[in-house]
Amino acid sequence: MFDRFHPGYFGKVGMRYFHKTKNQFHRPTINIDKVWTLVSEETRKEYANAGPNDAVPVIDVTKSGYFKVLGKGKLPEQPVIIKAKFFSKLAEQKVKAVGGACVLTA
């Protein structure tokens, strides 16, 4: 059966987007449980017994090609500072729950 005999076959559908630049929608994501894979195992062990006033590791996910941190999974009970362009609400809650911080970068 041909669809051209049905209503809605001819014509345009939807809205137009003038001068669409797809680069602004490019937002690679990483889940919170994979963030520790971006640094070495030695780094994780080095800061494993860090207290509340000690230095904590800084993980910059933008250097690894990710822009947004999502909240799927669990973080180890270890404070960490994560730098990214975007954070989901759940990811931000989980990072702060273990004593870490979320830093927005431009």
Side-chain angles (χ1 to χ4, degrees):
M1 185 82 185
F2 296 107
D3 282 339
R4 68 176 183 217
F5 299 115
H6 291 82
Y9 176 73
F10 296 105
K12 296 179 180 176
V13 176
M15 295 184 293
R16 293 188 293 174
Y17 193 108
F18 297 106
H19 193 67
K20 183 175 183 179
T21 53
K22 295 182 181 179
N23 191 32
Q24 66 183 357
F25 302 109
H26 182 69
R27 194 171 296 170
T29 60
I30 186 170
N31 284 315
I32 203 88
D33 56 352
K34 303 288 183 193
V35 168
W36 276 105
T37 62
L38 300 179
V39 293
S40 63
E41 189 66 29
E42 294 86 30
T43 305
R44 182 163 183 249
K45 289 178 181 176
E46 178 183 343
Y47 294 105
N49 298 323
N53 296 327
D54 295 339
V56 295
V58 178
I59 301 174
D60 193 356
V61 298
T62 55
K63 289 184 179 177
S64 300
Y66 299 103
F67 289 169
K68 186 170 185 174
V69 179
L70 302 178
K72 180 186 172 194
K74 292 177 114 179
L75 266 179
E77 292 294 326
Q78 184 175 345
V80 63
I81 298 172
I82 300 176
K83 291 183 175 183
K85 291 186 177 188
F86 305 99
F87 288 93
S88 69
K89 194 183 302 182
L90 187 60
E92 194 170 356
Q93 289 172 358
K94 288 185 179 182
V95 170
K96 289 181 179 178
V98 296
C102 298
V103 178
L104 294 173
T105 59

